[in-house]
Amino acid sequence: MQDDVGNQGAANLLSQLGTIGEAARELAYRLYNICDRKGWAAEGVAYNSLVISWPEISRLAAETEEKIPLQVALF
């Protein structure tokens, strides 16, 4: 249940990031690699979890965007 809440929160943020969302995923992956090389296992777990969860987060973000009504025009 906690992962579902975390994934939904991350998906909400991802839907707000727009086009820079993919850069956020790449940053998490790079930070994980740095932690792995430096032997910082505890710090790397969060980044690795984010990268592993990214497909689900992306799916949830797409669903979130579909639920938000789009205002076409005022006039």
Side-chain angles (χ1 to χ4, degrees):
M1 181 68 175
Q2 184 65 24
D3 285 341
D4 293 340
V5 173
N7 284 348
Q8 186 59 57
N12 292 342
L13 289 172
L14 179 59
S15 66
Q16 294 174 14
L17 288 175
T19 58
I20 63 171
E22 189 60 28
R25 185 197 64 81
E26 290 176 18
L27 176 61
Y29 185 73
R30 288 180 187 211
L31 290 171
Y32 166 74
N33 282 330
I34 290 169
C35 291
D36 187 48
R37 281 195 311 259
K38 300 271 186 180
W40 301 338
E43 291 83 1
V45 169
Y47 300 121
N48 191 40
S49 296
L50 179 59
V51 171
I52 290 171
S53 299
W54 198 263
E56 177 65 8
I57 293 168
S58 295
R59 184 188 68 76
L60 291 170
E63 286 180 3
T64 301
E65 290 172 0
E66 290 173 4
K67 292 178 184 175
I68 299 172
L70 181 65
Q71 182 176 347
V72 179
L74 290 175
F75 302 98

